[in-house]
Amino acid sequence: MAAHLTKGPRMIFSNRKNQIYRRLFQRMLFATLFAFMLILAVIVFFELRQIKKELINQAITGSLYYQPSYLRYLQSPGEHGVSQLKKEATLLNFNSPELYLQYRNATGEHILEISSDQGDRINELFRKKYPAQDYINDDGVILLNNWRLYISVSSPILSPETNQLVGFVDSIRLLSPLATKRLFNESLTTIGLHLFAALLCGIICFFGFSLLNRKIINTIHQLGKANAFLLKKLGGALSAIHSGSVYHNHRVLIYAVALGEEVGISRLEMRALIMGTFLHDLEMLKIDSPILLARTTLDDETHTQIKTHPQDGYLQIKRFGWLRPAGEVIKYHHEHYNGSGYPTGVTHEKIPLTARIFSIADTFDALTSERAYRNPLEVDGALAELQLHSGNQFDPLLLSAFIKIGVDIHGTVSELSPDGFEQELNRITKKYLNW
């Protein structure tokens, strides 16, 4: 902790302005990634549709070569016609990408089938994957098997004279590995270009949005600095009213933060602890200073009035979102670990961690500081006094952690000048409040 008091932390985002830019970057990055994935899904969907359309059109065009043979068959149907049709179709099918051919008449009845062993197997896969009504249609279907693309189409055959339906030719075509690779590369290029454009657009939007909102961000930064200034000044004023010294709150804050760092509380808990330390006696403003600094015992009515300040202070700040984290310390800083405190009498871990930390730091500073009604205790005496109330007023685990650092941190704090206090408060607020 002593090292912290002489050298502030090196933080990339050590002030409010940089935090705003960081959050803006994170949100724009999330929005860009979301748009990226959405665009990717849309592009892939339409690219696959386009690929399917092109492949089926190629397959239908290829099947047109087999239609004239069928039209000649119609001129002399019968066994001889079927034999001639088979002969012509076999010759056409030689070295062609079609693995399977089937001719059907206008009513869909089978006439002739030409297929290799591979064609039979692929045809069976098509029939298993697609229902009959989807398998035989004008649109066609595509099957990927062992990284090979197969296209099945059913092309209607029309009479040249009457333009009436006279039959069908069904075919299964294998797309060659070279054509598959070319198609795959073209698709990747198209998808990549679209995604690059989306990413570039996101980057341009981020910098454009940052420039356009620079004035607003600077204003928010200045408001953050103003909030920190007012919080520290108000905390000092409350401290002077309650203890007669503006540095009481400063010292308590340093002790509390040191204990919080020692036990490893989270950043959000540290933020709540710091804000609560500044504002813990907010409602003491309603009570006259002479009463608070009196050397004599307070009467019951005044003491009852003072005991309302935690709850009243909590009700005041909970209306404001940015002050709400301070509520835990304000409301519970007079609670005792064994339940003998006020205003609610809660016990143990039901008392928020930040309030339990603050209670130790506040009491330690009260014991080691001069007050109107008594002289300060030495550090060892103050720590011994705290130890007497371990498990009753204070959380024993937190108190044990504080006793380990109490002597060192008190020695460092006692050497701070007014400028030193200001520098340390600035370090703490920048580190944990980003102001």
Side-chain angles (χ1 to χ4, degrees):
M1 181 65 184
H4 287 167
L5 296 175
T6 57
K7 183 178 180 180
R10 290 187 174 183
M11 300 178 64
I12 295 175
F13 299 103
S14 60
N15 57 56
R16 187 66 174 170
K17 183 190 294 185
N18 286 339
Q19 185 194 35
I20 293 171
Y21 277 114
R22 180 177 63 179
R23 289 183 177 177
L24 178 62
F25 175 78
Q26 290 172 342
R27 291 174 183 178
M28 288 297 295
L29 179 62
F30 175 79
T32 301
L33 288 176
F34 178 78
F36 186 87
M37 297 304 295
L38 183 63
I39 292 172
L40 174 62
V42 172
I43 291 173
V44 169
F45 173 76
F46 283 104
E47 187 67 17
L48 289 177
R49 283 189 60 180
Q50 184 63 28
I51 290 172
K52 179 181 177 181
K53 183 178 179 181
E54 290 181 5
L55 292 178
I56 289 174
N57 284 339
Q58 290 178 17
I60 291 175
T61 301
S63 69
L64 294 178
Y65 292 103
Y66 298 94
Q67 293 189 12
S69 298
Y70 181 78
L71 293 174
R72 286 192 290 274
Y73 155 77
L74 291 178
Q75 295 174 3
S76 58
E79 291 185 8
H80 177 72
V82 171
S83 177
Q84 186 62 28
L85 175 61
K86 183 176 182 179
K87 182 178 179 181
E88 292 182 12
T90 302
L91 288 174
L92 289 171
N93 189 238
F94 182 72
N95 259 349
S96 74
E98 274 71 33
L99 304 176
Y100 173 87
L101 285 173
Q102 178 182 218
Y103 287 103
R104 294 179 291 122
N105 62 22
T107 60
E109 295 175 351
H110 169 78
I111 296 176
L112 174 67
E113 183 177 86
I114 299 174
S115 176
S116 63
D117 292 340
Q118 183 185 9
D120 289 335
R121 182 175 60 83
I122 299 301
N123 182 47
E124 188 63 27
L125 289 177
F126 269 107
R127 293 185 179 278
K128 286 181 179 180
K129 184 172 182 180
Y130 298 100
Q133 62 270 26
D134 294 331
Y135 174 68
I136 300 174
N137 56 71
D138 293 337
D139 294 330
V141 287
I142 294 177
L143 177 69
L144 178 64
N145 183 61
N146 292 329
W147 296 103
R148 291 189 172 188
L149 282 175
Y150 300 91
I151 307 100
S152 174
V153 293
S154 181
S155 304
I157 303 174
L158 304 179
S159 170
E161 293 82 13
T162 63
N163 204 36
Q164 291 182 343
L165 179 67
V166 293
F168 298 91
V169 56
D170 306 327
S171 65
I172 296 177
R173 164 180 286 217
L174 168 64
L175 192 65
S176 68
L178 183 62
T180 302
K181 183 178 180 180
R182 178 182 58 79
L183 189 65
F184 180 75
N185 290 336
E186 289 177 354
S187 299
L188 280 184
T189 301
T190 302
I191 293 172
L193 288 173
H194 281 83
L195 293 183
F196 175 76
L199 186 61
L200 184 63
C201 181
I203 294 173
I204 293 172
C205 286
F206 167 72
F207 287 107
F209 188 81
S210 300
L211 290 174
L212 291 173
N213 290 276
R214 200 171 188 177
K215 187 174 182 180
I216 296 175
I217 293 172
N218 286 333
T219 301
I220 294 173
H221 172 58
Q222 294 302 320
L223 287 174
K225 293 177 66 175
N227 286 338
F229 172 79
L230 293 175
L231 199 61
K232 288 185 287 186
K233 292 301 180 183
L234 180 57
L238 293 171
S239 177
I241 292 172
H242 179 240
S243 64
S245 170
V246 295
Y247 296 110
H248 165 66
N249 254 19
H250 299 359
R251 293 190 298 267
V252 173
L253 178 64
I254 295 172
Y255 295 146
V257 169
L259 178 54
E261 291 176 339
E262 179 69 17
V263 298
I265 65 175
S266 70
R267 190 177 186 86
L268 288 177
E269 289 171 327
M270 189 67 82
R271 178 184 177 89
L273 176 61
I274 293 169
M275 297 181 71
T277 299
F278 280 129
L279 300 175
H280 68 279
D281 279 337
L282 178 64
E283 282 301 287
M284 285 293 196
L285 288 171
K286 298 190 302 185
I287 302 172
D288 295 335
S289 294
I291 295 176
L292 297 174
L293 301 176
R295 295 175 179 268
T296 58
T297 304
L298 300 176
D299 58 51
D300 291 342
E301 181 180 351
T302 303
H303 192 258
T304 300
Q305 181 185 3
I306 290 176
K307 289 175 68 173
T308 64
H309 82 274
Q311 180 68 24
D312 292 344
Y314 169 74
L315 294 176
Q316 288 294 325
I317 64 95
K318 77 172 187 176
R319 299 175 297 167
F320 306 100
W322 77 280
L323 291 176
R324 204 165 291 149
E328 290 183 348
V329 172
I330 293 174
K331 184 176 181 179
Y332 296 100
H333 70 279
H334 280 296
E335 299 290 356
H336 291 174
Y337 195 70
N338 64 0
S340 62
Y342 64 88
T344 62
V346 292
T347 63
H348 300 93
E349 279 67 34
K350 292 182 180 178
I351 305 170
L353 175 60
T354 52
R356 283 180 275 145
I357 290 174
F358 172 84
S359 177
I360 294 172
D362 186 43
T363 305
F364 177 74
D365 185 68
L367 292 172
T368 55
S369 303
E370 185 174 354
R371 294 295 174 92
Y373 46 86
R374 59 158 177 79
N375 293 323
L377 295 178
E378 294 295 328
V379 178
D380 290 339
L383 292 175
E385 181 68 21
L386 291 177
Q387 187 63 50
L388 289 176
H389 299 280
S390 177
N392 294 322
Q393 184 175 348
F394 308 114
D395 182 325
L397 294 178
L398 292 176
L399 182 58
S400 176
F402 184 76
I403 289 174
K404 292 178 182 178
I405 63 172
V407 174
D408 291 339
I409 188 61
H410 179 268
T412 305
V413 170
S414 62
E415 296 176 359
L416 287 176
S417 64
D419 288 342
F421 274 116
E422 186 68 24
Q423 290 174 7
E424 178 60 8
L425 260 62
N426 287 338
R427 181 194 74 83
I428 290 173
T429 54
K430 283 183 178 181
K431 181 176 181 180
Y432 292 111
L433 302 184
N434 298 307
W435 290 339

